[in-house]
Amino acid sequence: MPDSVRIVLALSIICLVSGTALGGLYNGTKERIEIQVLENKQMPAVRAVMEGADNDLLNDRKSLDFGEKTKRIIFPAKKGSDLFGVALEFSGKGFGGDVGVMMGIDLKSGKLAGIGITTMSETPGVGTRAKEATFTKQFKGMSLDANFNVKADGGVVDAVTGATVTSRAVCSALRDGAKFYKENKDKILTGIQ
């Protein structure tokens, strides 16, 4: 057998073994990685926007299918056995990438219970200030029909000074989330019961 054929054969076997090992490692750790993201990124935001919930927000979450490649994780919040709110995550395009926004919705009033930032790659000390309460607290109690745009764009949101792009990303996520919730409210509420 010529040397070139042996080299190609050896490299093919190495690639096959390596690919199989990497695939197995990915499948073996996929679920644990998803749990880590939930526990360390999403759950702090869910707990912040669903204050007063006494149920296990992590274990009570539901993954609902909304059609073509659209799945959403919904976090129902309860006091006792009474459902009082839901939290769901959307994202908007920021300066450094997507900005994940967890929005809590008070079911009785139909307004925002609050928001929390789950993920971002924004400039430290500038865009990352969108995580601070001075920015996020302004959303609590806003109607889902509010004009979620920064004031410079004719909206009602006070942008973070020096981080208008990040502020716009948060607003974009909230517009998408409010629209999605209003269009799918019945399916969401039925799916989490």
Side-chain angles (χ1 to χ4, degrees):
M1 187 183 301
D3 284 344
S4 61
V5 172
R6 272 189 272 160
I7 291 172
V8 169
L9 184 60
L11 288 174
S12 296
I13 291 170
I14 289 170
C15 289
L16 178 66
V17 170
S18 298
T20 302
L22 285 174
L25 182 63
Y26 172 78
N27 286 333
T29 60
K30 181 180 176 185
E31 186 176 324
R32 185 67 191 143
I33 290 170
E34 288 175 359
I35 294 296
Q36 290 292 324
V37 168
L38 277 166
E39 289 176 349
N40 298 315
K41 298 286 184 182
Q42 293 176 318
M43 289 314 298
V46 172
R47 288 184 188 100
V49 301
M50 293 284 95
E51 282 184 86
D54 58 17
N55 62 313
D56 185 344
L57 293 164
L58 178 61
N59 289 324
D60 290 347
R61 75 188 185 282
K62 303 285 184 189
S63 180
L64 301 179
D65 189 359
F66 293 93
E68 292 183 32
K69 299 179 185 177
T70 305
K71 277 195 169 199
R72 290 276 173 208
I73 297 176
I74 311 295
F75 299 89
K78 298 178 182 178
K79 287 183 184 172
S81 61
D82 296 328
L83 181 68
F84 74 88
V86 294
L88 51 161
E89 183 180 25
F90 285 84
S91 63
K93 185 74 172 146
F95 184 75
D98 285 344
V99 176
V101 179
M102 186 66 67
M103 57 188 297
I105 300 169
D106 181 311
L107 297 178
K108 186 175 182 181
S109 68
K111 296 181 178 183
L112 285 178
I115 71 161
I117 306 299
T118 57
T119 57
M120 68 166 43
S121 301
E122 303 301 275
T123 307
V126 182
T128 55
R129 291 185 314 185
K131 288 183 172 185
E132 296 174 4
T134 53
F135 176 70
T136 60
K137 70 180 179 181
Q138 69 181 307
F139 296 98
K140 188 172 185 169
M142 277 191 181
S143 167
L144 295 180
D145 294 319
N147 183 356
F148 291 114
N149 284 298
V150 296
K151 287 184 178 176
D153 297 338
V156 297
V157 176
D158 288 319
V160 174
T161 304
T164 306
V165 174
T166 305
S167 302
R168 285 182 175 135
V170 171
C171 289
S172 174
L174 291 174
R175 284 192 307 272
D176 291 346
K179 180 179 183 220
F180 180 85
Y181 177 76
K182 289 187 285 186
E183 289 175 354
N184 296 286
K185 179 180 177 181
D186 292 337
K187 184 170 185 170
I188 291 170
L189 296 178
T190 302
I192 60 176
Q193 298 295 333

